[in-house]
Amino acid sequence: YMQVWNLDGVSRLSGYLALGGVVIFGTVLAFSFYLWGVELIGAPKASMIAAIEPVSAAMFSYFWLNVEFTAYDLIGFIAIMLCVLILSKDKKDEFKC
């Protein structure tokens, strides 16, 4: 449909600046801030927050881009939230045999 084999690539300064912005802000700084956050709050809490990220991205797309969701999408959101709640539960609350 898009015939990507006919694209010329980045050819102007604005294209190179946009590419550099994606590399610097979207990759280097984002990953550096994530690692800094893991150092501050610990790996278990950071992984719980990272597990919720797809749901928050979907909510932002719903409110900003007016994306409509199906029942399967909502079931997936609930499944993610339940998994995060189950994993964050303290071990001392479990029954011992």
Side-chain angles (χ1 to χ4, degrees), residues 6-79:
N6 289 330
L7 295 177
D8 294 333
V10 178
S11 61
R12 291 185 291 200
L13 178 62
S14 62
Y16 287 111
L17 291 175
L19 179 64
V22 168
V23 169
I24 298 297
F25 293 109
T27 305
V28 175
L29 287 178
F31 188 66
S32 298
F33 286 142
Y34 174 74
L35 290 180
W36 182 40
V38 169
E39 183 180 330
L40 290 175
I41 66 172
K45 288 182 184 178
S47 64
M48 293 295 166
I49 293 171
I52 298 174
E53 186 270 334
V55 176
S56 65
M59 291 299 113
F60 282 122
S61 68
Y62 174 76
F63 290 114
W64 284 350
L65 303 174
N66 296 322
V67 173
E68 296 293 327
F69 295 115
T70 64
Y72 293 118
D73 296 324
L74 298 175
I75 291 169
F77 299 154
I78 292 169

